[in-house]
Amino acid sequence: MVEKKLKYIFFFTAIPLLIISTAFASDLSLHGFVQGNYSLNTAGDNPDGKDFKWSEERAQLKLEAASDPFRLFIKGDAFHDNIDKHSILELREGYADYTSEKWDARIGRQVITWGVGDLLFINDVFPKDFEAFFSGRPMEYLKKGIDGAKVGLYPGFVSFEFIAIPHFEPNNYPDSNRFWMFDPLAGITNRETQAPYQDFHKAETALRVYRDVAGFDTSLYYYRGFSRQPSIMPDNPLAPTKLTLFYPELSVYGASAQGRALDGVLSFETGYYDSIQDRQGVDPMIPNSQTRYLIGYQRQLWEDFTVGMQYYCEYMQDHPAYVQNLPPGFPQEKRLHELASLRLTQFMIHQTLRLSFFTFYGLSDGDYMMNPEVKYNLTDSVWIAVGGSVFGGGKPWSQFGLLAKNDNVYGQMRYEF
């Protein structure tokens, strides 16, 4: 409730600021869109008995005012959810920029993207909306904004990007009313969630250091904060009656490089996930420390046709300690988790028609996700898209196997102005 109030306060104070700024702005712009987005089940009803994963009408406004060296930007959505029968006002982004020759700063709600992965995130530790991704919403809604400050420094030999986040924003996972999900403790309904912090003394911090190295965009990363996926702590490991969802402390140390090679674009990324609260790996309720790796390759094989491939793995540290302390009845994770992805994209009819296919395949568990999509630009302002999300394979608790009963087809239509 407090978070929603803060969003509304920021939204309604940012709009007057932008209006006032027109008095001195040398550049003012207004853009936006209206959109319909619908996702229909193909593998059965939702747990709540309804047919749709997503059904909404949405309008967005983007206002920008600039007068060097300042810039103000706000992106707000208003939408009606046809499933839950309510309307919502949402601040997507709202920030102020200051830019100079050697440094710049941004304060407010902003979307931050780090790393080189295609839908695989190692050093991009910022919040995601996976329900949006699995229910067939436009890809821009996968990323969530953070409320914080970003400062860039450019001394010449290398560049720095520092981020401070005083308000924690978790990932958003599929809603249990709309998605069938594996839950080993489904019978325990007495649950509460602990926020990781409520003040500034435990604010998240992140640093990126980057420069060009031999034609490759190279970055080093550091993050200190919390896991954005909650862990579960039972009140009694043997006979639990209450579950507490909490966000363990986490540090991430990583690196990435991306550049032209082998007639295409080659990408590398790695990260070490330091589980601060359980570095010995003896607490099965807290994720063990991990080392994560990614290698990707993208190439245009012929005109307007591109193929992209990725190999990704997670290596769990202290796996024997994890196995030894795992409570009875809980599914056991493997020490090495491997995943591959493939993206195919073909443009046609003067690039107004896009045919795309994206898939994940779990090399460790045999589970998969497939996402075919057709998008057509009717005019410069109007486009429609039709696609689907198909899940399956593996164990009921594997990454995509747990979504096996949630196949859906979706449609999107947008008018932009």
Side-chain angles (χ1 to χ4, degrees):
M1 182 64 68
V2 172
E3 178 184 353
K4 289 182 179 179
K5 288 182 179 178
L6 289 173
K7 289 181 181 179
Y8 293 151
I9 290 171
F10 190 89
F11 187 84
F12 286 111
T13 55
I15 287 181
L17 283 174
L18 281 168
I19 294 174
I20 293 171
S21 69
T22 60
F24 64 86
S26 59
D27 184 18
L28 179 68
S29 65
L30 171 65
H31 300 285
F33 63 75
V34 291
Q35 170 184 285
N37 190 182
Y38 312 96
S39 176
L40 179 66
N41 294 316
T42 60
D45 295 337
N46 294 337
D48 61 7
K50 297 180 180 179
D51 298 324
F52 284 84
K53 285 283 184 284
W54 200 262
S55 177
E56 68 165 23
E57 293 79 39
R58 177 179 296 261
Q60 181 180 102
L61 282 179
K62 293 187 289 186
L63 290 165
E64 182 177 357
S67 181
D68 289 339
F70 298 99
R71 173 175 174 259
L72 293 170
F73 178 80
I74 188 169
K75 179 194 292 185
D77 285 15
F79 67 94
H80 179 72
D81 185 333
N82 298 307
I83 299 176
D84 293 336
K85 305 298 182 183
H86 59 231
S87 300
I88 297 176
L89 189 65
E90 178 185 29
L91 176 68
R92 299 289 299 170
E93 295 181 78
Y95 55 78
D97 282 343
Y98 174 82
T99 304
S100 68
E101 184 177 352
K102 293 295 184 179
W103 70 282
D104 56 38
R106 173 172 293 177
I107 299 177
R109 168 149 288 224
Q110 54 195 285
V111 172
I112 299 173
T113 300
W114 280 1
V116 297
D118 180 6
L119 298 179
L120 289 170
F121 311 104
I122 297 180
N123 294 292
D124 191 338
V125 293
F126 307 105
K128 316 291 187 305
D129 187 341
F130 291 104
E131 182 182 61
F133 177 51
F134 293 141
S135 61
R137 299 177 65 189
M139 195 58 63
E140 67 197 78
Y141 288 94
L142 172 60
K143 301 300 295 287
K144 297 176 66 179
I146 59 100
D147 297 320
K150 179 174 69 173
V151 176
L153 302 175
Y154 313 104
F157 63 97
V158 71
S159 296
F160 299 88
E161 188 173 69
F162 176 77
I163 296 168
I165 308 171
H167 178 76
F168 179 77
E169 182 79 23
N171 288 339
N172 185 44
Y173 293 97
D175 186 285
S176 59
N177 290 321
R178 302 190 188 188
F179 283 79
W180 295 96
M181 305 286 289
F182 174 79
D183 186 348
L185 300 173
I188 305 174
T189 57
N190 185 10
R191 305 186 180 198
E192 67 175 14
T193 300
Q194 284 184 354
Y197 61 89
Q198 299 291 342
D199 49 36
F200 289 88
H201 80 281
K202 283 192 174 181
E204 302 162 79
T205 56
L207 175 67
R208 181 168 75 109
V209 182
Y210 59 100
R211 64 161 296 164
D212 179 88
V213 177
F216 277 72
D217 295 327
T218 306
S219 297
L220 299 175
Y221 307 91
Y222 167 74
Y223 168 77
R224 176 63 185 261
F226 302 86
S227 171
R228 299 197 187 276
Q229 178 175 351
S231 293
I232 298 177
M233 182 64 68
D235 59 346
N236 185 327
L238 299 180
T241 60
K242 178 181 178 181
L243 302 178
T244 300
L245 280 66
F246 68 103
Y247 298 89
E249 293 185 47
L250 176 69
S251 289
V252 180
Y253 310 86
S256 70
Q258 185 176 66
R260 298 199 61 81
L262 305 174
D263 296 322
V265 177
L266 196 59
S267 304
F268 302 94
E269 189 169 356
T270 186
Y272 179 73
Y273 277 54
D274 180 11
S275 185
I276 298 172
Q277 292 178 240
D278 185 34
R279 286 183 168 137
Q280 287 71 43
V282 297
D283 188 342
M285 298 297 102
I286 298 177
N288 276 29
S289 297
Q290 291 182 340
T291 305
R292 302 185 181 187
Y293 305 94
L294 167 70
I295 181 170
Y297 178 69
Q298 179 179 310
R299 181 176 178 180
Q300 181 173 298
L301 296 184
W302 57 78
E303 185 177 2
D304 292 333
F305 179 79
T306 303
V307 58
M309 301 173 289
Q310 295 179 117
Y311 168 77
Y312 169 84
C313 71
E314 299 176 355
Y315 181 82
M316 183 189 296
Q317 310 292 330
D318 305 305
H319 189 262
Y322 158 77
V323 173
Q324 182 178 353
N325 291 279
L326 190 67
F330 276 73
Q332 180 179 314
E333 297 182 24
K334 297 180 179 180
R335 181 162 206 165
L336 182 65
H337 177 72
E338 298 176 282
L339 185 70
S341 77
L342 173 68
R343 182 183 293 278
L344 305 174
T345 307
Q346 174 71 66
F347 284 95
M348 304 175 69
I349 315 179
H350 307 291
Q351 296 193 336
T352 59
L353 176 65
R354 187 190 70 191
L355 310 177
S356 66
F357 176 79
F358 182 86
T359 182
F360 283 122
Y361 180 73
L363 301 173
S364 302
D365 299 315
D367 56 336
Y368 60 85
M369 173 188 174
M370 296 185 290
N371 174 216
E373 183 180 273
V374 178
K375 180 181 178 183
Y376 181 59
N377 293 330
L378 298 171
T379 69
D380 290 340
S381 302
V382 180
W383 59 259
I384 58 174
V386 178
S389 299
V390 181
F391 313 93
K395 302 291 185 180
W397 55 82
S398 59
Q399 186 173 6
F400 301 111
L402 62 83
L403 293 165
K405 297 172 64 177
N406 296 287
D407 295 353
N408 59 83
V409 294
Y410 60 83
Q412 306 160 1
M413 184 171 184
R414 180 181 292 185
Y415 167 70
E416 299 175 340
F417 56 87

